[in-house]
Amino acid sequence: MIKTTLKIDGMMCGMCESHINDVIRRVVPDAQKVKSSHTKGESTFISEQEPDGDKIIAAVAETGYTVQSVNTESYTKKFLGLF
């Protein structure tokens, strides 16, 4: 699994976060745990494969926002078992 963090300029409210989440889900079909924060100016999600950063940047730009950076890192699922 890969965790991707996008630094995004231009998000001002909860609707902006929703627009970005929709774009990510459309461009990265296997995206999970998609979260955006206008206060932090970032979006995060996890996926099976490393996403195409250029494709994400172009799709986000179409909605009027600017991606400042795309960072990926390995993601391991945290196990919170009862035993």
Side-chain angles (χ1 to χ4, degrees):
M1 298 292 282
I2 303 293
K3 179 179 178 182
T4 303
T5 303
L6 308 171
K7 291 291 184 181
I8 300 176
D9 186 39
M11 289 192 295
M12 300 292 180
C13 63
M15 282 305 296
C16 296
E17 295 170 359
S18 180
H19 289 148
I20 296 296
N21 291 347
D22 290 344
V23 168
I24 291 170
R25 287 187 186 103
R26 184 175 36 117
V27 175
V28 185
D30 69 336
Q32 302 171 19
K33 297 187 180 185
V34 181
K35 295 178 189 171
S36 295
S37 170
H38 70 278
T39 55
K40 293 181 183 178
E42 71 178 23
S43 294
T44 61
F45 64 93
I46 59 173
S47 57
E48 292 289 331
Q49 304 293 324
E50 186 168 340
D52 183 353
D54 293 333
K55 201 176 199 181
I56 295 171
I57 291 170
V60 169
E62 288 176 11
T63 61
Y65 305 99
T66 305
V67 176
Q68 297 173 328
S69 68
V70 178
N71 297 315
T72 58
E73 61 186 86
S74 180
Y75 176 82
T76 50
K77 191 173 183 177
K78 296 179 178 105
F79 178 71
L80 299 174
L82 298 173
F83 303 109

